[in-house]
Amino acid sequence: PDGLGPVQTAYIVNEKAGGHALVATLLYMAERGLVRLDTATAKHWKVTGLGTTEQWAAVDPVTREVGEALGVTTAGATLNVAGSQTAGQKLADARERLEAGCRSWSRTRGLMVNVAAEWAGRLLAAVALVLAVVGFAGAFTWTMWGLPPAAFAIGGIGLLAGGVGTRRTPSGRRLWSRAAGFERLLTTPSA
């Protein structure tokens, strides 16, 4: 969809950035002419900033945040990745900022909201699990007092799954529909 980077598209569909989010963002930045990617070996490569301030301002906020984390938002700035601890720390920081940036972007744009009742249900299911263990263990012998909280914990196990606690708003569902349609287009063999 227009105005979205690859990671934002994946995030709005799956509610997570995904394992290849940083690589997809680097390739997206290179495709947009913001950076140049050079490689010497599989373990040694360099990211060079090419974009102007105006180009970086025009790109989505998540991509811009990754560029800032890597320090390549000014023309000529470089990041050498050759297995050093400093480069590894920058990449780890960029990956963390990418996930947080997607979450923040979806909330500030009004695409997703937190649902307090589901978060409360998650908390109650976790507490019920602890009470079940304590109830079954008893003071000195095994007892059946843990059965009611265990039943509640088993019934609420679905509340501990990923994606529970957030919902897409109507505008988020419209964007999700477009992004998921694009994903289906890419994954359908006939396409």
Side-chain angles (χ1 to χ4, degrees):
D2 293 336
L4 294 186
V7 177
Q8 291 169 301
T9 305
Y11 188 83
I12 203 68
V13 172
N14 304 314
E15 295 186 36
K16 60 184 173 184
H20 302 293
L22 184 58
V23 173
T25 303
L26 283 169
L27 292 173
Y28 179 69
M29 288 190 299
E31 187 264 332
R32 294 278 183 217
L34 298 169
V35 299
R36 183 178 69 238
L37 303 174
D38 299 308
T39 180
T41 65
K43 300 251 183 208
H44 184 203
W45 44 282
K46 181 167 70 169
V47 181
T48 305
L50 301 175
T52 64
T53 306
E54 294 80 23
Q55 287 175 305
W56 280 103
V59 77
D60 63 88
V62 177
T63 301
R64 190 171 41 253
E65 187 151 347
V66 171
E68 290 168 0
L70 296 176
V72 295
T73 55
T74 56
T78 61
L79 171 66
N80 289 307
V81 180
S84 72
Q85 186 174 5
T86 305
Q89 184 60 41
K90 275 193 170 191
L91 291 172
D93 181 45
R95 186 173 289 124
E96 287 175 17
R97 287 176 68 174
L98 184 67
E99 186 77 34
C102 283
R103 195 172 22 261
S104 172
W105 163 79
S106 69
R107 298 325 189 265
T108 57
R109 291 274 315 269
L111 302 172
M112 298 181 79
V113 294
N114 290 329
V115 180
E118 290 180 5
W119 283 102
R122 290 181 111 177
L123 178 65
L124 288 174
V127 168
L129 185 62
V130 171
L131 288 175
V133 170
V134 170
F136 281 132
F140 299 103
T141 182
W142 289 96
T143 68
M144 294 304 289
W145 285 106
L147 198 55
F152 185 83
I154 290 170
I157 201 84
L159 292 170
L160 301 177
V164 173
T166 59
R167 289 284 176 258
R168 290 178 190 88
T169 63
S171 60
R173 285 192 295 276
R174 283 191 297 276
L175 186 59
W176 170 84
S177 178
R178 292 176 41 219
F182 180 67
E183 182 182 55
R184 281 190 297 278
L185 174 77
L186 292 177
T187 59
T188 303
S190 64

